[in-house]
Amino acid sequence: MKLVLYPIVINIGPLVRKKGRKVRSNAKMVILVSVIVVASVAAIVAYGYANAKQACVASVSQKPVILYINQGNGIVNGSGYTSMLRFASCQGFNTVFFQVYYNGKLLFSPPLLQSFVDQAHNESLRIFFALYLTNDSQSIPTSILNLSEDGVSLDMSTLTAGVQQSLLGTLQQNFHGQTAVTTYDFNTTLRPDLLVFETYQWPQEQAEIQPGIIGSVEALATSSYSQYESEFQYALQHSDGVMVFDYYGLTVKGY
């Protein structure tokens, strides 16, 4: 509904030249009308803001629509974390894979991670802690488990198959939420709750997008928004969801 504001013109010139009771009465009327106008404008602004916020939190799908935050492209925390959550909500994402472990180092303390979880849930977003594991000697930091996060995702494609299986088994035994794995190995035997294929090479890897897995799109690998949207919708419709890599790429592209 489009609201139109018509100007209210009040001519107070004649009033200031008159004396007595009528002048005071009319002056009160001017003040009353002014208050009503200001209150009406404030209500309209508040109504518009509420509708805009409501539009932001609507997801495009009941399937997982995942935004991956890669800390290797720049740390996301503080006010940047809040901005990321609002971006995710407004763009129709319902899940965030937030990288908290990078190249053998835990990036945030458990209390801070707990606050990140609370903020995500306040925006009606599910949050998975993403662990980027690059060496067979690295292990899952148990201090980040069970901080009310919805899941934990293992990003460990460079590790040997045996180590990957062991890490997933350890996670499933010690964590009460959902487990996820992101992988380039389309023949993997790993069976987490969410198996995400990193299908960034289009159209070569398009055939790998199918029910039973979650397909992926890489924003920086697309040449236009129309291409990005086409790949996004294909992955969403032909698999169990879609993951977008990554938040940095979307902002750089301006999508």
Side-chain angles (χ1 to χ4, degrees), residues 68-82:
Y68 193 105
I69 287 76
N70 176 25
Q71 302 288 4
N73 288 333
I75 290 291
V76 175
N77 61 11
S79 61
Y81 181 79
T82 304

Side-chain angles (χ1 to χ4, degrees), residues 218-243:
E218 183 180 12
L220 284 178
T222 60
S223 59
S224 66
Y225 178 77
S226 61
Q227 180 188 353
Y228 162 76
E229 182 66 16
S230 175
E231 294 181 8
F232 179 97
Q233 291 299 332
Y234 185 92
L236 182 61
Q237 294 169 18
H238 291 82
S239 73
D240 292 351
V242 61
M243 184 186 79

Side-chain angles (χ1 to χ4, degrees), residues 25-160:
S25 177
N26 286 340
K28 290 180 180 179
M29 182 60 69
V30 170
I31 294 173
L32 178 59
V33 172
S34 299
V35 170
I36 293 173
V37 171
V38 171
S40 299
V41 172
I44 291 169
V45 171
Y47 176 82
Y49 175 78
N51 280 339
K53 184 175 181 181
Q54 185 177 14
C56 277
V57 298
S59 174
V60 299
S61 174
Q62 295 302 311
K63 296 179 179 180
V65 182
I66 304 163
L67 177 62
Y68 193 105
I69 287 76
N70 176 25
Q71 302 288 4
N73 288 333
I75 290 291
V76 175
N77 61 11
S79 61
Y81 181 79
T82 304
S83 298
M84 179 275 294
L85 293 180
R86 290 299 294 155
F87 176 90
S89 292
C90 289
Q91 295 295 325
F93 292 95
N94 55 33
T95 306
V96 170
F97 277 15
F98 185 68
Q99 203 173 73
V100 302
Y101 185 89
Y102 187 80
N103 284 348
K105 182 184 296 184
L106 184 61
L107 303 178
F108 308 102
S109 67
L112 184 55
L113 289 175
Q114 179 70 72
S115 73
F116 286 164
V117 170
D118 294 340
Q119 291 178 64
H121 289 167
N122 286 338
E123 289 288 341
S124 301
L125 290 166
R126 301 174 73 235
I127 181 169
F128 282 55
F129 292 159
L131 311 181
Y132 181 47
L133 302 155
T134 56
N135 188 291
D136 285 358
S137 65
Q138 294 170 359
S139 60
I140 296 172
T142 56
S143 62
I144 63 105
L145 300 181
N146 305 310
L147 294 177
S148 300
E149 69 269 34
D150 298 282
V152 172
S153 175
L154 301 177
D155 187 348
M156 53 182 181
S157 293
T158 60
L159 305 184
T160 61

